[in-house]
Amino acid sequence: MSTFRTHRRSARLALATATATAITMAAALTGPVSQAASVGSGAASPGAAGLGDPIFPLDGNGGYEVSRYTLDFDWQAPKTPFEASTTIKATATQALSRFNLDFAGNTLHTVTVDGQSADAVREGDELVITPANALARGKAFTVKVTYTADPTQIRHRDDAIEDYGWIPTPDGTVLYPQPNGAKMIFPSNDHPSRRAPITFHITTPAGLSAVANGKLTGRTEQADGRVRWTYDSEQPVAAQLAQLAIGKFTFVDSTGPHGLPIRDVVPDDLVAPTEQYRKLTADHIAWLEERLGPYPFNRYGLLVGDTDLGVALETNTISLIPKADLLGDRVSAERNLVHELTHQWTGDSIGIKTWSDLWLSEGHARYYERLYSESHGGDSFEATMKTAYANHDQWRHDYGAPAEPTEPNLFKRMRYDGSTLVLYALREQVGQETFGKIERAWVTKYRGKTASTQDFVDLASKVAGEDLEGFLHPWLYGATTPPMPGHPDWVVNPVQS
């Protein structure tokens, strides 16, 4: 996600209180059952109601791994409920007496497990499912949930995200699931470390188009005039990076480096006004490939959002770009475009293991955004880092250290320029050549995988041939900002309460 606007709101929330509340809820949902079913050689027990992430303890679910989602959406009209179903293929990682899905709002109809009716109870944002028969560890099973989807569901955060969930457009919708809004759209294992391929079946009225992550594999006109669109994400997707948009779109096809298919999806009346900046994508990909290696997916494109949404989003293979980002000056437009494109390497291909690792995703995206912008009419990279350095103690005080965010401050300034400063400091410490080797090794080793802050520190140390733990730990976790290598004159401003 890219943002360099002034944030309009601020929030203060005690993390300890939120965590304690979530742990209490998790205990209630995952406490012992009176008569645990026996499966094989062990007793079945409930899967965890959450993964225990320090930021969102109840996001994600334990006891199973998803291998594929299939979404069937019978879209009707903007802000109009419609019939939907989600089919989940999964494998039990323990003997399960019951398990949870993250699922918020929407009107629940039926739940089946392997074709048999299952008991299902709503507990806040959790859907607690008890199958007719306990599931043995290692068993592959299929869950189907039918429901009436509510495309008016939007939630709000007081950080850069602001509104997320279903984002309305004049004739349809786009999705903004980050950070944990996918549960408003489909039942899922909604945590960035849990990724699976998605098949989308979207039926629209005549005259409307649908787009989703990945490849269009089918378009069928039905007898009643409606059109069924099928997309395959091709590669695993974190629920927070799923995209599904509906509207009066023009599909603009072009080719990137090495024959890479590029397809922009643009509201009809915005095709010409946005062309100037959209056609830069191939050059942006080539520039990033020189620094990060081959583009990690099979295709790419821009989804232009006909909406007042304030921020863009790096949804897999098709970045959501609000129209305002493409109708202003070129420097600002390219900053956002390069930022979201960088995320395809860092954030999408390389997923984060916990939300505390978000600095790796946003810091890298901002780093290459700033680096590109410097040589294409933007501000001096060094000057912006000097300014960030001056403010870093204040950001640590207000928003937490780069790798120690709190929930209300997750998408605040520290995760952007504040995290880029960590990468800049590392570059100044090891030198440009070694830093470049670290970056290439990072995107190569963890391509298609999830990785943590410690993984990055360990890899950087290995590539540099020196233990960088002692250098990076204060930058990532310390209460105060360390000296900047090579810049003894840089000064940190005093913290203002």
Side-chain angles (χ1 to χ4, degrees), residues 178-402:
Q178 195 178 66
N180 59 352
K183 60 194 170 196
M184 291 185 275
I185 298 152
F186 64 103
S188 59
N189 200 345
D190 190 4
H191 186 269
S193 67
R194 299 298 190 259
R195 308 191 293 181
I198 306 176
T199 299
F200 302 84
H201 300 299
I202 311 150
T203 305
T204 64
L208 294 183
S209 299
V211 66
N213 308 92
K215 181 180 182 180
L216 176 64
T217 60
R219 180 187 180 279
T220 304
E221 295 185 12
Q222 301 182 157
D224 61 359
R226 293 172 63 79
V227 180
R228 190 172 193 254
W229 306 76
T230 299
Y231 286 85
D232 182 350
S233 71
E234 301 181 290
Q235 287 142 302
V237 178
Q240 61 136 349
L241 299 176
Q243 185 55 264
L244 182 158
I246 295 158
K248 295 180 180 179
F249 294 136
T250 297
F251 293 82
V252 183
D253 292 316
S254 60
T255 303
H258 323 295
L260 180 75
I262 297 175
R263 168 169 284 186
D264 294 340
V265 181
V266 191
D268 292 347
D269 59 353
L270 291 172
V271 173
T274 62
E275 180 183 8
Q276 178 184 4
Y277 301 148
R278 285 189 296 102
K279 68 183 182 182
L280 299 172
T281 294
D283 291 340
H284 295 160
I285 293 172
W287 185 88
L288 282 166
E289 285 193 330
E290 290 177 0
R291 290 152 181 83
L292 295 175
Y295 175 75
F297 296 107
N298 297 336
R299 62 200 72 251
Y300 187 62
L302 306 178
L303 168 62
V304 179
D306 189 1
T307 169
D308 292 331
L309 185 69
V311 288
L313 183 63
E314 64 273 16
T315 43
N316 275 45
T317 70
I318 182 162
S319 292
L320 171 62
I321 309 293
K323 61 183 178 181
D325 290 357
L326 297 171
L327 298 176
D329 67 278
R330 178 165 175 163
V331 169
S332 297
E334 289 201 89
R335 282 187 58 186
N336 279 327
L337 291 170
V338 172
H339 184 108
E340 303 310 332
L341 177 58
T342 304
H343 270 306
Q344 302 297 316
W345 280 265
T346 64
D348 291 21
S349 177
I350 305 176
I352 56 176
K353 285 189 176 177
T354 74
W355 278 111
S356 297
D357 301 316
L358 181 64
W359 79 274
L360 281 166
S361 176
E362 295 298 347
H364 272 101
R366 181 57 60 89
Y367 179 94
Y368 289 100
E369 164 202 330
R370 289 284 191 192
L371 189 65
Y372 178 91
S373 185
E374 178 183 50
S375 59
H376 292 79
D379 296 335
S380 160
F381 191 11
E382 182 175 309
T384 60
M385 290 298 94
K386 185 176 182 179
T387 299
Y389 186 82
N391 293 317
H392 222 245
D393 273 4
Q394 187 70 53
W395 294 345
R396 287 173 190 267
H397 175 272
D398 293 343
Y399 310 135

